[in-house]
Amino acid sequence: MGEVVEDAATAPPLPPAVVSAPPMQTQYNTPSLSRKPLLQIEHPDAAKAKTPKTSHSRTPNFITPLGSPVRRAIKLTKLDPQDAWLPITESRNGNAYYAAFHTLCSGIGIQALVVPVAFTVLGWAWGTISLTVAFVWQLYTLGLLVKLHESTETGMRYSRYLQLFSATFGDRMANIFAAFPIMYLSGGTCVALIIIGGGTMKTFYQIVCGESCAVKHAMPLTTVEWYLVFTCAAVLLSQLPNLNSIAGVSLIGAITAIGYCTIMWIVSVTEGRLDGVSYDRVRPVSNVVWIFGILNSFGIIAFAFRGHNLTLEIQATMPSSEKHPSHVPMWRGVQIAYVIVAMCLFPVAIGGYWAYGHKIPENGGMLAAIYMYHGRDTSQAVLGLTSLFIIINAVSSFQIYAMQMFDDMESKYTSRMNKPCPWWLRVISRAMFGYGCFFVAVAIPFLGSLAGLIGGIALPVTFAYPCFMWLKIKKPRKHSFMWWLNWVLGISGTVLSVLAIAAGVYVVIDTGIKVSFFKPK
């Protein structure tokens, strides 16, 4: 199920009831499900059995940014051998700063720039209320996941979201309700990042090169070719072996995300409101279209809060013991990260809607508005810097979301072969994943029109499932405050997800799919 929290040599003896108790439920074939979930007393001869020599991380020191200085200072948790072979749990030298870097990089990104579009339907009051409620709601469920990562009753850690869901509700329920949204979030986000990063690379080239590009280069790169350039850069960086090794990458991605969000709302506010801006809510003649538009806007806001599918994985990179549980530094890092997220997200949403009102482009949001309305009157250096920040953030975010997919792929090999994945197979599999995402991006380059639908599909992972898992595992007293709170939030999240998916499908069918790439004026 999960790995033990403490080293066998230092762990207190378990009472007979704990030693004989079965694991929570299943033998679900997901990454890092330990074959020995509990500390057990074995026969002395068992120590002579052949076991993989993988108690230490296989990550070389020189490719672990920010990790090496603290590697010797932290006593790493002893892992199940198979866990020590996988990218998520290969290295356990994480800390609160690492958690903040990874959480920021996974939790804020280009999807935040679409939030002002939701305000055109919801209006000032309901838009601000919905964004605030969603922020508090997802921060609460994030806290639940952090606390559920390790169990003091069983001595196990659940290092992946799908693993915790399977342990709570069983393999069948995990396959039906959790596997697709979780993997969809990771793989779909990588595809979206290729579309965004490649398209922005083309814009950045046009800004830097200017009109001389048309004279010097009769055959400039097409958008698809820029997708390929971005993918090559992402695949090259994806060869970093594990989640801890990309801590520096996540830090750079977080800084650039803060940078372009800040630049965009400052430019929008300082340039002032556009002429003829209206803040009246867009209400179609048909009530059905209006209701579906509201639900789709909720989906857009939900789409802004991604990253819960990586919370347990980020926490799994930390050492943990009974005296120093991992949830303490993890929660400290999460709090730091989400203070910064709020400082970026709310000004973008409110400032963007104030500047553009109903004129903000539906496909692209703030990103399209900056180039469309301020392409000439804003410094080309500012536009170029914004584009560069978006590209760097997209490449960085690709790494953390792809790492979950790499972990899943390698777990299938280690489970079958009972040995770590060789370096050459790791290189090939990661390259195949990256270029597979490229081909999907070329086939469907319209994810900008699907923000509401994407948010609806991903919504249960963030807003509903953590509440249900808390109820199942912690078993709060019936009709207590925590019992009512988690039931209400869990059911509300599930219902909202179904309605948002239906609304997203309706909006796509009704308005069509729009493909647009942004060019500076």
Side-chain angles (χ1 to χ4, degrees):
M1 294 295 302
E3 65 272 11
V4 294
V5 174
E6 293 189 296
D7 291 342
T10 60
L14 294 174
V18 174
V19 174
S20 60
M24 287 186 63
Q25 281 211 29
T26 66
Q27 297 177 355
Y28 191 73
N29 188 23
T30 54
S32 90
L33 302 190
S34 300
R35 288 157 292 181
K36 296 178 181 179
L38 301 176
L39 293 173
Q40 298 179 2
I41 301 175
E42 298 184 355
H43 192 275
D45 294 337
K48 301 178 182 179
K50 183 179 180 181
T51 57
K53 297 179 181 180
T54 55
S55 58
H56 299 286
S57 171
R58 295 164 53 236
T59 309
N61 286 339
F62 69 90
I63 57 175
T64 307
L66 307 178
S68 298
V70 298
R71 184 187 297 275
R72 294 183 298 274
I74 299 177
K75 181 179 178 181
L76 300 181
T77 301
K78 184 177 180 180
L79 305 178
D80 178 82
Q82 186 173 327
D83 287 338
W85 296 333
L86 299 175
I88 297 295
T89 47
E90 187 181 67
S91 176
R92 296 282 184 140
N93 56 8
N95 52 43
Y97 296 105
Y98 285 30
F101 302 159
H102 290 314
T103 302
L104 265 175
C105 190
S106 62
I108 188 171
I110 207 72
Q111 77 282 356
L113 305 181
V114 190
V115 174
V117 176
F119 277 57
T120 61
V121 177
L122 299 175
W124 274 119
W126 285 108
T128 305
I129 292 172
S130 299
L131 185 61
T132 304
V133 169
F135 180 83
V136 175
W137 188 350
Q138 61 87 32
L139 189 58
Y140 169 74
T141 56
L142 186 57
L144 296 183
L145 289 175
V146 170
K147 293 180 181 178
L148 292 175
H149 172 80
E150 49 203 352
S151 172
T152 56
E153 291 81 9
T154 61
M156 292 184 290
R157 295 178 70 181
Y158 301 97
S159 299
R160 287 130 182 110
Y161 195 113
L162 190 57
Q163 175 188 342
L164 177 61
F165 194 96
S166 175
T168 307
F169 298 111
D171 298 345
R172 185 176 180 181
M173 295 287 285
N175 280 326
I176 296 173
F177 295 106
F180 174 72
I182 292 171
M183 296 305 169
Y184 170 83
L185 263 177
S186 295
T189 299
C190 291
V191 173
L193 290 170
I194 291 176
I195 296 173
I196 295 164
T200 309
M201 274 185 168
K202 182 178 181 180
T203 301
F204 177 72
Y205 178 76
Q206 292 171 343
I207 292 173
V208 172
C209 193
E211 296 180 357
S212 61
C213 293
V215 178
K216 294 180 181 179
H217 306 288
M219 296 286 291
L221 293 181
T222 65
T223 302
V224 172
E225 289 170 336
W226 281 112
Y227 286 0
L228 184 59
V229 172
F230 178 90
T231 304
C232 290
V235 168
L236 182 63
L237 195 57
S238 70
Q239 301 308 319
L240 291 170
N242 56 57
L243 192 55
N244 258 341
S245 69
I246 64 170
V249 176
S250 293
L251 172 60
I252 295 172
I255 292 173
T256 51
I258 296 169
Y260 70 71
C261 286
T262 304
I263 290 174
M264 284 190 179
W265 74 260
I266 288 178
V267 168
S268 300
V269 171
T270 54
E271 291 290 341
R273 291 184 295 179
L274 298 179
D275 295 334
V277 165
S278 172
Y279 302 118
D280 295 332
R281 289 189 292 176
V282 178
R283 179 166 181 169
V285 178
S286 171
N287 289 331
V288 174
V289 176
W290 180 59
I291 292 172
F292 275 124
I294 292 176
L295 294 174
N296 187 64
S297 299
F298 290 152
I300 292 174
I301 291 176
F303 180 54
F305 299 107
R306 63 180 186 181
H308 280 52
N309 59 314
L310 295 171
T311 299
L312 297 176
E313 284 80 349
I314 295 170
Q315 192 171 349
T317 63
M318 298 180 176
S320 184
S321 66
E322 185 177 3
K323 293 182 179 179
H324 303 286
S326 63
H327 70 81
V328 176
M330 179 65 185
W331 183 240
R332 189 181 306 124
V334 166
Q335 288 176 310
I336 296 172
Y338 272 89
V339 167
I340 300 175
V341 168
M343 292 171 61
C344 294
L345 188 61
F346 281 87
V348 164
I350 296 174
Y353 184 59
W354 175 84
Y356 306 115
H358 69 281
K359 291 187 175 183
I360 190 165
E362 294 182 4
N363 191 36
M366 292 284 287
L367 180 60
I370 290 292
Y371 295 133
M372 182 182 299
Y373 299 120
H374 307 302
R376 292 181 178 177
D377 54 4
T378 300
S379 169
Q380 295 298 295
V382 173
L383 293 178
L385 183 62
T386 303
S387 300
L388 181 61
F389 281 172
I390 292 172
I391 295 167
I392 296 174
N393 172 257
V395 174
S396 304
S397 298
F398 185 96
Q399 308 310 314
I400 190 169
Y401 278 92
M403 195 63 71
Q404 187 178 52
M405 304 300 293
F406 299 156
D407 190 85
D408 182 68
M409 291 187 295
E410 292 186 26
S411 71
K412 292 177 172 57
Y413 177 88
T414 58
S415 298
R416 178 179 291 272
M417 306 302 294
N418 195 30
K419 63 179 181 179
C421 185
W423 69 269
W424 57 268
L425 184 58
R426 172 176 279 186
V427 170
I428 293 174
S429 63
R430 295 186 177 190
M432 289 179 61
F433 171 79
Y435 290 112
C437 291
F438 162 74
F439 286 115
V440 175
V442 172
I444 50 172
F446 46 75
L447 294 184
S449 301
L450 304 177
L453 179 59
I454 294 172
I457 295 174
L459 196 148
V461 174
T462 302
F463 294 98
Y465 293 164
C467 299
F468 292 135
M469 290 190 288
W470 175 271
L471 288 168
K472 181 72 172 179
I473 295 174
K474 296 299 184 179
K475 295 180 174 60
R477 185 170 54 84
K478 195 172 183 180
H479 302 307
S480 64
F481 174 76
M482 290 299 294
W483 186 88
W484 278 112
L485 178 63
N486 285 282
W487 270 115
V488 170
L489 293 180
I491 294 174
S492 300
T494 304
V495 173
L496 186 60
S497 173
V498 174
L499 295 176
I501 291 173
V505 172
Y506 179 87
V507 168
V508 169
I509 294 174
D510 183 61
T511 62
I513 294 172
K514 301 176 182 178
V515 183
S516 65
F517 304 104
F518 315 121
K519 299 179 180 180
K521 293 184 179 180

